[in-house]
Amino acid sequence: MLYCYSETQPDDLLNGFSTMMDGGSDARRITIHKPADFAPMRKSGRLAAETLDMIGPHVVPGVTTEALNALCHDFIIAHGAVPAPLNYRGFPKSTCISINHVVCHGIPGEKKLQDGDILNIDITVILDGWYGDSSRMYVAGTPSTRAKRLMDVTYESLMRGIEAVKPGNTFGDVGHVIQNFVESQRFTVVRDFCGHGIGQRFHEPPNVLHFGRPGEGPRFVPGMFFTIEPMVNAGRPEVKILEDGWTAVTRDRSLSAQFEHMLGVTDTGCEIFTLSPAGYTAPPYQ
Ligand code: MF3
Ligand code: CO
Ligand code: CO
């Protein structure tokens, strides 16, 4: 099952115009933003990236995920923004922190990180009404060789997918590149969660799948804003949701990794809004 946040079409057109793309089963209304809308997305994307830069040195064995959440919350507020996850569809915290076999939507709490834990921290800010959404992997202490390779493959799959974003190509081209690379490395792509359109809403059409066939799905048009956020498992791709209604874990309890960038389609390719000002890519960050 695909858990997508935007089952309904945007109810109103806050900005730019919308167009019905010929995208097969994912044909939906995708907002085409104005050139002037890139500027506020650069600001919101940069703040999300700065939050991820800030938190890195705090990810150490013994720290609780609630403490990391609080640091991110305060940083976002201090920069004049609001953490989008807090109270979003009942989510109780300001960030998602997903450790080891948690695939996504982990809820920060009093659990202490242990040496060798790998974790995803997913930050979404709302700055001047515009969303900025990005996530990276971190390590407490020293990762296993396999965990390190899982993170490296996941990061590279994201960047290879981004390379395929340009007018003329389709969303299916991106999904195919990601799936092809991940499976060539003997890891698997999670099917139940996807990237999403974004802008003045958290989640809007289209669903950005991290698997697929070349030529499938809508074609890229300058002014489309969306995330790519592949979740990659060391074992089987299936997930289940825990009793809290949020935490997604691998069914076989294998390790899972994820990186997320937010980008806008340009005339010649795309602009990544969430690049790290510190130049951080994948762990180790130094
Ligand atoms: N930031 C996540 C994403 O990449 C969404 C988190 S929704 C929440 O789309 F409610 F779990 F915070
Ligand atoms: Co996202
Ligand atoms: Co996110």
Side-chain angles (χ1 to χ4, degrees):
M1 142 172 203
L2 177 67
Y3 300 94
C4 71
Y5 310 91
S6 52
E7 286 296 349
T8 54
Q9 298 198 344
D11 43 330
D12 58 340
L13 305 176
L14 292 175
N15 204 72
F17 60 95
S18 255
T19 179
M20 182 64 82
M21 305 304 297
D22 177 21
S25 65
D26 198 34
R28 292 156 172 266
R29 295 174 71 79
I30 301 175
T31 304
I32 308 299
H33 296 86
K34 304 192 303 290
D37 298 337
F38 279 72
M41 287 295 272
R42 260 171 223 138
K43 288 179 69 178
S44 61
R46 183 181 175 93
L47 180 57
E50 286 170 342
T51 310
L52 292 170
D53 287 350
M54 176 280 296
I55 203 64
H58 298 281
V59 179
V60 292
V63 74
T64 67
T65 52
E66 171 54 40
L68 299 175
N69 179 77
L71 286 164
C72 292
H73 176 96
D74 292 349
F75 185 88
I76 291 163
I77 298 291
H79 288 78
V82 174
L86 189 58
N87 302 318
Y88 175 76
R89 299 193 176 199
F91 192 81
K93 298 288 178 174
S94 298
T95 63
C96 297
I97 303 185
S98 304
I99 307 173
N100 293 337
H101 71 295
V102 180
V103 173
C104 64
H105 299 166
I107 302 173
E110 293 308 322
K111 188 176 153 77
K112 288 191 169 79
L113 297 181
Q114 296 182 21
D115 184 44
D117 281 349
I118 63 168
L119 53 148
N120 175 279
I121 302 181
D122 193 337
I123 298 293
T124 310
V125 305
I126 313 170
L127 184 61
D128 302 329
W130 294 83
Y131 286 77
D133 186 7
S134 186
S135 80
R136 293 182 209 152
M137 296 302 294
Y138 299 83
V139 188
T142 312
S144 69
T145 307
R146 187 164 173 75
K148 171 80 167 73
R149 200 171 75 81
L150 177 66
M151 293 188 292
D152 287 345
V153 166
T154 306
Y155 180 73
E156 185 167 348
S157 77
L158 168 62
M159 299 315 287
R160 286 184 180 218
I162 291 173
E163 287 278 312
V165 177
K166 49 175 166 249
N169 283 358
T170 72
F171 282 91
D173 295 333
V174 169
H176 179 70
V177 162
I178 292 170
Q179 178 183 13
N180 205 47
F181 177 66
V182 166
E183 292 178 353
S184 79
Q185 302 300 308
R186 303 285 175 234
F187 292 136
T188 63
V189 174
V190 170
R191 313 303 164 98
D192 305 77
F193 295 96
C194 56
H196 50 92
I198 190 167
Q200 291 177 94
R201 296 182 192 78
F202 200 165
H203 298 101
E204 57 177 68
N207 290 326
V208 180
L209 305 182
H210 305 111
F211 58 94
R213 304 302 315 167
E216 282 179 350
R219 260 175 215 292
F220 296 119
V221 172
M224 289 179 172
F225 296 164
F226 56 90
T227 70
I228 304 179
E229 49 184 296
M231 282 142 272
V232 174
N233 295 350
R236 293 191 53 80
E238 291 81 12
V239 308
K240 66 176 181 188
I241 309 291
L242 299 186
E243 321 287 62
D244 60 25
W246 281 104
T247 311
V249 300
T250 54
R251 278 195 172 268
D252 63 5
R253 296 188 64 88
S254 63
L255 287 179
S256 189
Q258 178 181 28
F259 288 84
E260 174 175 23
H261 270 314
M262 182 179 81
L263 48 94
V265 181
T266 64
D267 290 341
T268 54
C270 67
E271 175 176 344
I272 304 174
F273 295 127
T274 45
L275 287 176
S276 162
Y280 296 151
T281 53
Y285 302 119
Q286 59 206 7

